[in-house]
Amino acid sequence: MHISEGFLPLPWALLWFGISLPFFVVGLRNLTNLTREHPELKLLLALAGAFSFVLSALKIPSVTGSCSHPTGTGLGAILFTPGIMTVLGTLVLIFQAVLLAHGGLTTLGANVFSMAIVGPWVAYLIYHQTKGSNRERLAVFLAATCGNLATYLVTSLQLALAFPAENGGFLASFTKFATIFALTQIPLAISEGMLTVLVWNWLKSYAQPELETIKLLRTTRGNHAAS
């Protein structure tokens, strides 16, 4: 999914920076407030970031200028909201661009939009639309899987917009990129969904106090929204 350094034309690279920046600023404010009011959640935040870093570093060459891999952003989005996952995902992408030459700084805005904004929002919405009595694990699986696939659809869109096909334009280019990604990405997305459920089960067993704090925060936000 990471678009390589220098691969996007400058206007497109700047556009994605401009679109992603407001999401990052709002997420940073939310993250600052959360860690100031609940410092006991820092360890869980670090785990969500590390989970995304490790999974998204497992890259498989796919389309020229990009690659396939899990994203690991669904877990953080479910736990802390998509805004906070935007900040964690951006840090993951910066470290990978600088330390692993995976992605790039000039393409950071595009990669942040697909992996750290759209993916977490899709995961978050699907989780809250699906969860219910006895369906929490299914909701976690679908959220992580669909968040992953949404990330790659956006990457295909970004590449198609920047490099429309001579015959068929944007639609032909998007179909080509999405089809090539699908060969590797669908099984990877399903695997990520299953792994996220395993981590979720582990958290339910060993991080119950932190999960109760997050649940209380959600209830409080819901009451404020309703009042």
Side-chain angles (χ1 to χ4, degrees), residues 166-224:
E166 292 185 5
N167 296 321
F170 164 79
L171 187 58
S173 184
F174 175 79
T175 303
K176 181 190 73 174
F177 286 126
T179 302
I180 296 174
F181 271 136
L183 295 176
T184 51
Q185 204 53 40
I186 291 177
L188 280 175
I190 294 172
S191 300
E192 179 177 342
M194 296 170 67
L195 179 61
T196 305
V197 171
L198 291 178
V199 175
W200 182 265
N201 290 340
W202 182 83
L203 290 174
K204 299 276 281 188
S205 299
Y206 297 102
Q208 197 60 42
E210 289 82 0
L211 294 182
E212 288 296 330
T213 300
I214 293 172
K215 184 178 179 182
L216 179 62
L217 288 174
R218 285 181 189 153
T219 304
T220 303
R221 282 197 297 264
N223 291 338
H224 286 167

Side-chain angles (χ1 to χ4, degrees), residues 9-10 24 55 67 75 83 95 116 118 121 189 199:
L10 183 60
F24 179 82
L55 288 193
C67 57
L75 179 66
F95 277 115
V118 174
W121 267 107
V199 175

Side-chain angles (χ1 to χ4, degrees), residues 75-177:
L75 179 66
I78 293 169
L79 288 171
F80 295 109
T81 72
I84 288 177
M85 196 59 222
T86 294
V87 180
L88 298 181
T90 300
L91 294 176
V92 165
L93 288 164
I94 291 174
F95 277 115
Q96 290 180 345
V98 174
L99 301 178
L100 305 178
H102 185 193
L105 295 178
T106 61
T107 54
L108 182 65
N111 291 332
V112 165
F113 185 75
S114 60
M115 192 181 101
I117 296 174
V118 174
W121 267 107
V122 169
Y124 179 82
L125 293 174
I126 287 182
Y127 172 75
H128 284 279
Q129 290 297 318
T130 310
K131 73 170 185 176
S133 57
N134 301 321
R135 291 195 302 182
E136 189 171 55
R137 290 179 178 82
L138 175 63
V140 171
F141 170 79
L142 291 176
T145 301
C146 294
N148 179 306
L149 292 175
T151 296
Y152 281 83
L153 286 175
V154 172
T155 300
S156 300
L157 181 146
Q158 291 170 327
L159 292 172
L161 285 171
F163 305 102
E166 292 185 5
N167 296 321
F170 164 79
L171 187 58
S173 184
F174 175 79
T175 303
K176 181 190 73 174
F177 286 126

